Amino acid sequence: MSDVDSTLNERGARYGNYSDVASTTQQLMSIVESGANYEHLNAEQKTSLFMICNKIARAVNGDPQYFDNYRDIAGYATLAERACEAVRGANVKSPVE
């Protein structure tokens, strides 16, 4: 068995069948993308939401007790929060002295 096959087998045991995870991720993303303001998100926010959907899909198709999925969700949410703060900061005008 190749290293790649070994890794894929390990990941499949942890996260579930790749086809199931991909399908669930795309279903969740379809809901996210149907939101009225999805088009106003920046690349960081969109990517964070995609990754969160993927981590949710892994949790519901694989090992639901694998804490790293939830830690990753928190991490991607934090990155999206920082992207919001950067946009808000760029839109705040400094007072004229």
Side-chain angles (χ1 to χ4, degrees):
M1 180 181 298
S2 74
D3 288 342
V4 172
D5 288 332
S6 177
T7 299
L8 291 174
N9 287 335
E10 289 173 21
R11 297 299 189 272
R14 171 72 70 195
Y15 299 121
N17 178 279
Y18 183 68
S19 180
D20 294 338
V21 173
S23 178
T24 302
T25 301
Q26 292 304 311
Q27 289 174 53
L28 291 169
M29 279 306 299
S30 178
I31 294 166
V32 170
E33 291 169 353
S34 72
N37 289 312
Y38 180 79
E39 65 189 55
H40 300 292
L41 300 173
N42 64 33
E44 292 171 50
Q45 293 164 324
K46 288 178 180 179
T47 300
S48 291
L49 290 172
F50 174 83
M51 295 304 297
I52 289 168
C53 288
N54 185 250
K55 295 298 180 173
I56 292 170
R58 285 178 163 190
V60 301
N61 286 289
D63 179 359
Q65 305 310 321
Y66 185 54
F67 67 89
D68 202 47
N69 287 325
Y70 305 103
R71 185 173 289 159
D72 286 347
I73 289 169
Y76 287 115
T78 299
L79 292 171
E81 178 184 16
R82 289 179 184 167
C84 291
E85 290 170 353
V87 169
R88 286 183 189 216
N91 292 330
V92 174
K93 296 181 181 179
S94 61
V96 177
E97 295 183 25

